[in-house]
Amino acid sequence: GTLRGLVATALKKNEDIVESLYDRILGRNTVHDVYHPHTGDLIVASGEQINEDIAAEIASSPIEEVEIRSVLTCEQKQGVCGKCYGRNLATGRKVQIGEAVGVIAAQSIGEPGTQLTLRTFHVGGVAGKITEESEIRAKYDGVLEIDELRTVKRKDRKGEDAEVVISRSTEMRIVDSNTGIVLTTSNIPYGAFFYAKGGKAIKKNDLICTWDPYNAVIISEFAGKLEFESIEENATYREEIDEQTGFAEKVIIESRDKKKNPTIRIMDPKGKEELKNYSLPVGAHIIVTEGQKVEAGDVLVKIPRSSGKGGDITGGLPRVTELFEARNPSNPAVVSEIDGIVSYGKIKRGNREIIVESRTGELKHYLVPLSKHILVQENDFIKAGSPLSDGAISPGDILNIQGPTRVQEYLVDEVQEVYRMQGVKINDKHFEVIVRQMMRKVEIEDPGDTKFLERQSVNKTEFMEENDGIFDKMVVTDAGDSSELRVGQMITLRKFRDENSALKRKDAKLVEAKSAQPATARTMLQGITRASLQTESFISAASFQETTKVLNEAAVNAKEDHLMGLKENVIVGHLIPAGTGLRSYQKMIVANKDEYQRLLAEKLEAQEIEE
C-alpha cells in the first residue's frame, strides 16, 4: 500500500512536556529517512526501527517531529503488518507474525481500568492546577515570525510598555536564521501582553508574551465611555463577594427572559456613536462600571477558567467509555466547517447568529446560545475546525471537518490523557489498535457503477477492492447490433474493442459504452460496541450482544463465516489462528534434514515409477 504515517511530536500541555518525543518514537518504524538538521547526516533510513540509540540521537537534535508508521495508517487487509506495529513490548524485539496484538491492546487498556473505576482516586482538587502556564518564552535562537496579530498599546502590571493582543488566532513561529527551518510554533492567546517584535531575531529564553492563567478576558479595543445594556440586578446578574479581594463583583447569570442579552457598549467619548459592543456570557465577572472611561487594552470582563478545560469533564472510566463509544459530549462546542472571516448576525431566540465567509465567498451560518462564551470576534479569520464557542468538541465534528487522521489522533490523545492523570503509562500503539477498529467502516455516498447501495456501511478494504475491480471496465449504454451484450452490462475494455471490431466487419451498428464510475464514500466513526457487532464474522458478533438479531440477519443474508478471527475459532473448537496456530504453519512438516532428504528421494522414486 502507499506509505502513510502518523506524525509523532512531543506531547505538550501548556509547554510542559507530558510525553517526550523519545518515548513516542521508540520501537516504531520511520516512514522517511531522517536527517540531522545541522549536519545533514542520515540518522535512520526509512522503514527502519528506531531503537534506544537512534531515539536518543533524534531527541537530542532540534528535530521536533518524526513521521512514523502506525497501526492507524496500516493498509493490511487482515490484521496489521509488523512494520506498522513496530516493537513487541513484551519481548523488546520486532513483533512476530501471528502475535495477537488486538488482545494485548485490550488487556493493556483494561488492566489499569480497575484504578479508573474509582475515578476520584487520589485526584487532588484544584491544588494540582495551580501551576497553570502563563507565559511563552523562546525555546531556541532564531527569527520570530507572527501571523494575524492585532494589538493595542498600554502599560502592563509593572508599568512597562506592552502591547495587548486583541486577535484570536495569532500564531508565532521561531525560524532558524540560517536554514529557514521552522523550529517551533505556538498560539498566542487573546488578551496576552506581548513583548517581542515580529520579524526580528530573538534569543533563547526571551519573553514573548504573558497572560492571566486563571481568567479568560474580554478587552476593550477602543478608548471611550461605557454603556451597559440589559445588565439588571437579579435578572441578568447578581452581586458576589470575591473571597480573595473582598470586593463585590457583578456576575452574569442565565436570564429567564431570552430577549435580554447583557452587553457592554463602548461609545465615542465626544459623540454618541457606538464603537464596539461585547456580549457577555453566563459566568462573566464585570470589573468596570457604567459610564466609566476606558483606554484601549483595558480589561472589561473576566471569565474564570474552570480548572482544567470545560467545567464538567468527566474523569476516569466514564470519559474513556465516552471516547471509545464515540458519544457526543453533553455541551458540545459549535465548530466552524470552513476557513473564513467571522461576522455577527442577528440574535434569534436567545442565540447569536455567527456567519463565516470563506475567501471563495461561501457562507456558513451558525447559531450559538448567548449563555456560552463566544470565542470569536467580528473580522477574525478562523480556520476550519476551530470552535466558535466554549465546550467540548465532538469527535464527529472533528471527523467531518478535519478528516479521519485528526480524529484518530484526538481519540488516542484524549484517552491517554485520562490514564496519564492516574499516572498510568500505556504505549500509544495499544490505543491505536483499538481506534483502528473503530474506523474500519465507510459509508457509501454515491455507489457509481459498483454493487453497493447508497448509505450502506462497508468495510474499507471491501470498498477499495470493489473500486479497483471496476477500474478499467466499461458499462454498455447502447448494445447496438451485438447479440452478446446488454445495456448496463459491465465489460472489460478488451471485450468492448473485440465486439466492436467484429460488428464493424459486418457493417452493423456499434456498441456504445462509458467508463465505469467508482463509488465514493466517507469514513465512519463507530463506537467499539457498534464496531464489534458489525464484524465480518457472524459467530463472533453473535457471541457478543443481540444474539438473535445477529443470527437472524446472518440467516436472511445467507452469510458465510470464514473463521478468520480468534473468537469464532474458540467457539467452534478449532485451534486459534494466532501464534503457532497460524494456518500457514499447519501444513508445515518439522523434521531433521536426513529425514527430509529420504522423503524427497522416496517421492522422486514414486514419480519415476508412475512415469
Side-chain angles (χ1 to χ4, degrees):
T2 54
L3 277 189
R4 295 183 301 153
L6 197 72
V7 177
T9 54
L11 253 196
K12 297 180 186 132
K13 265 275 180 294
N14 303 328
E15 295 300 308
D16 294 340
I17 293 187
V18 178
E19 189 180 16
S20 63
L21 183 63
Y22 176 90
D23 291 334
R24 293 199 85 173
I25 61 177
L26 180 62
R28 292 308 199 63
N29 292 40
T30 61
V31 179
H32 309 297
D33 295 346
V34 178
Y35 294 98
H36 197 290
H38 291 329
T39 59
D41 298 341
L42 180 67
I43 299 178
V44 57
S46 73
E48 291 297 305
Q49 196 177 105
I50 298 176
N51 58 26
E52 278 78 1
D53 301 341
I54 297 172
E57 190 177 344
I58 291 178
S60 63
S61 76
I63 297 173
E64 289 223 338
E65 53 181 44
V66 181
E67 202 168 337
I68 52 174
R69 290 186 61 158
S70 151
V71 176
L72 293 174
T73 52
C74 183
E75 296 185 11
Q76 181 79 7
K77 292 191 179 69
Q78 196 72 41
V80 293
C81 73
K83 282 211 162 172
C84 284
Y85 187 78
R87 175 186 285 193
N88 177 1
L89 297 166
T91 59
R93 295 200 189 90
K94 193 173 168 241
V95 68
Q96 285 180 310
I97 304 292
E99 191 75 62
V101 290
V103 176
I104 293 176
Q107 290 173 343
S108 310
I109 293 173
E111 192 273 335
T114 49
Q115 294 156 36
L116 298 183
T117 44
L118 315 163
R119 70 166 185 211
T120 45
F121 179 72
H122 296 302
V123 179
V126 191
K129 283 280 180 229
I130 294 299
T131 54
E132 292 266 358
E133 262 312 300
S134 63
E135 60 179 30
I136 296 179
R137 287 183 180 274
K139 287 196 302 206
Y140 306 101
D141 294 354
V143 176
L144 186 67
E145 290 187 359
I146 290 173
D147 289 346
E148 303 279 338
L149 178 70
R150 300 208 312 274
T151 59
V152 290
K153 286 195 165 50
R154 61 159 303 183
K155 297 264 192 278
D156 68 1
R157 296 187 193 98
K158 297 181 187 132
E160 293 166 19
D161 285 331
E163 298 182 16
V164 180
V165 179
I166 53 171
S167 48
R168 298 262 175 185
S169 49
T170 312
E171 277 189 14
M172 53 152 274
R173 293 185 295 277
I174 297 180
V175 181
D176 190 310
S177 45
N178 304 329
T179 58
I181 295 172
V182 176
L183 299 171
T184 175
T185 62
S186 51
N187 281 356
I188 295 180
Y190 170 84
F193 286 108
F194 182 72
Y195 296 101
K197 287 272 180 288
K200 295 269 170 35
I202 193 165
K203 289 268 177 286
K204 188 173 176 173
N205 279 334
D206 280 359
L207 183 62
I208 296 173
C209 65
T210 64
W211 63 91
D212 181 345
Y214 307 115
N215 300 297
V217 289
I218 294 180
I219 283 171
S220 156
E221 292 177 34
F222 301 99
K225 197 172 162 199
L226 299 184
E227 269 190 19
F228 288 5
E229 186 190 310
S230 306
I231 298 182
E232 302 158 16
E233 186 153 13
N234 297 336
T236 58
Y237 82 87
R238 64 165 184 270
E239 293 258 321
E240 277 187 13
I241 306 286
D242 186 355
E243 290 166 12
Q244 269 105 22
T245 58
F247 289 120
E249 288 185 338
K250 300 187 176 77
V251 180
I252 301 288
I253 54 176
E254 188 118 24
S255 159
R256 292 215 179 82
D257 182 358
K258 284 280 176 271
K259 291 193 180 64
K260 284 185 183 155
N261 171 28
T263 310
I264 293 183
R265 300 178 183 286
I266 298 180
M267 309 303 277
D268 183 25
K270 300 186 187 68
K272 272 281 167 237
E273 61 178 309
E274 177 189 315
L275 298 171
K276 182 96 189 186
N277 65 357
Y278 300 94
S279 297
L280 307 183
V282 169
H285 294 244
I286 304 174
I287 57 171
V288 287
T289 52
E290 186 157 14
Q292 182 181 338
K293 285 198 169 67
V294 289
E295 294 300 313
D298 283 354
V299 176
L300 307 174
V301 173
K302 289 188 174 177
I303 305 150
R305 298 180 200 215
S306 37
S307 59
K309 274 211 190 84
D312 57 332
I313 273 208
T314 44
L317 214 57
R319 175 72 177 144
V320 175
T321 319
E322 185 182 282
L323 288 163
F324 276 147
E325 291 297 353
R327 299 203 177 110
N328 285 328
S330 50
N331 68 331
V334 184
V335 177
S336 164
E337 297 165 78
I338 53 175
D339 295 1
I341 304 285
V342 176
S343 56
Y344 282 4
K346 298 190 188 68
I347 290 173
K348 300 180 176 171
R349 289 201 212 91
N351 289 330
R352 158 77 71 189
E353 185 180 31
I354 293 182
I355 304 155
V356 183
E357 182 177 2
S358 72
R359 297 226 164 97
T360 55
E362 185 186 1
L363 288 175
K364 289 266 186 215
H365 297 254
Y366 300 98
L367 288 175
V368 179
L370 287 168
S371 58
K372 282 191 168 176
H373 180 26
I374 296 177
L375 299 175
V376 290
Q377 294 290 344
E378 296 222 37
N379 301 329
D380 281 356
F381 176 77
I382 57 164
K383 291 199 168 73
S386 46
L388 302 174
S389 70
D390 55 353
I393 298 181
S394 101
D397 284 344
I398 300 180
L399 174 64
N400 297 335
I401 298 166
Q402 292 170 295
T405 325
R406 267 304 291 124
V407 78
Q408 287 174 335
E409 287 173 27
Y410 169 81
L411 286 171
V412 172
D413 289 347
E414 287 290 304
V415 180
Q416 267 286 34
E417 182 68 16
V418 176
Y419 282 94
R420 265 198 216 103
M421 275 180 64
Q422 309 294 336
V424 177
K425 251 195 168 173
I426 298 180
N427 194 299
D428 279 349
K429 68 178 66 157
H430 301 308
F431 297 109
E432 288 169 16
V433 169
I434 300 231
V435 170
R436 177 174 204 242
Q437 298 297 76
M438 294 165 63
M439 309 274 296
R440 270 195 306 210
K441 290 265 198 276
V442 294
E443 185 176 39
I444 305 291
E445 282 178 336
D446 172 16
D449 292 316
T450 57
K451 63 178 183 189
F452 302 128
L453 304 170
E454 218 171 299
R455 315 262 325 254
Q456 180 185 357
S457 63
V458 201
N459 260 17
K460 244 183 216 154
T461 47
E462 197 186 331
F463 169 73
M464 306 269 228
E465 277 166 15
E466 179 74 9
N467 269 354
D468 292 348
I470 64 162
F471 177 60
D472 52 355
K473 303 250 194 326
M474 310 290 284
V475 176
V476 179
T477 51
D478 179 4
D481 293 336
S482 164
S483 54
E484 286 185 28
L485 303 182
R486 300 274 172 278
V487 172
Q489 188 177 343
M490 200 179 283
I491 50 172
T492 59
L493 195 56
R494 179 133 185 209
K495 170 121 195 214
F496 171 64
R497 285 186 183 144
D498 291 353
E499 189 69 22
N500 266 355
S501 57
L503 289 172
K504 214 176 218 166
R505 284 192 219 103
K506 301 179 191 163
D507 275 341
K509 190 179 172 201
L510 299 185
V511 179
E512 287 175 21
K514 64 181 178 71
S515 51
Q517 278 293 315
T520 58
R522 58 185 195 86
T523 317
M524 291 170 71
L525 174 67
Q526 295 177 308
I528 42 181
T529 312
R530 284 276 310 279
S532 351
L533 280 175
Q534 295 201 352
T535 46
E536 298 288 276
S537 149
F538 70 87
I539 298 182
S540 159
S543 73
F544 174 56
Q545 263 179 23
E546 308 180 21
T547 310
T548 38
K549 180 179 162 189
V550 171
L551 291 177
N552 285 340
E553 223 165 88
V556 169
N557 294 331
K559 267 196 188 165
E560 290 178 356
D561 194 327
H562 297 284
L563 302 181
M564 299 289 244
L566 305 187
K567 215 167 161 189
E568 46 271 46
N569 281 290
V570 172
I571 292 168
V572 296
H574 289 180
L575 207 55
I576 62 167
T580 51
L582 269 187
R583 300 297 178 244
S584 54
Y585 290 153
Q586 301 201 328
K587 302 180 186 69
M588 221 176 259
I589 298 170
V590 182
N592 63 23
K593 208 162 184 189
D594 306 340
E595 193 87 346
Y596 178 65
Q597 301 295 359
R598 196 175 59 74
L599 279 172
L600 269 186
E602 277 177 20
K603 195 173 176 188
L604 285 172
E605 246 170 62
Q607 273 176 354
E608 278 165 15
I609 293 165
E610 268 176 30
E611 281 165 9

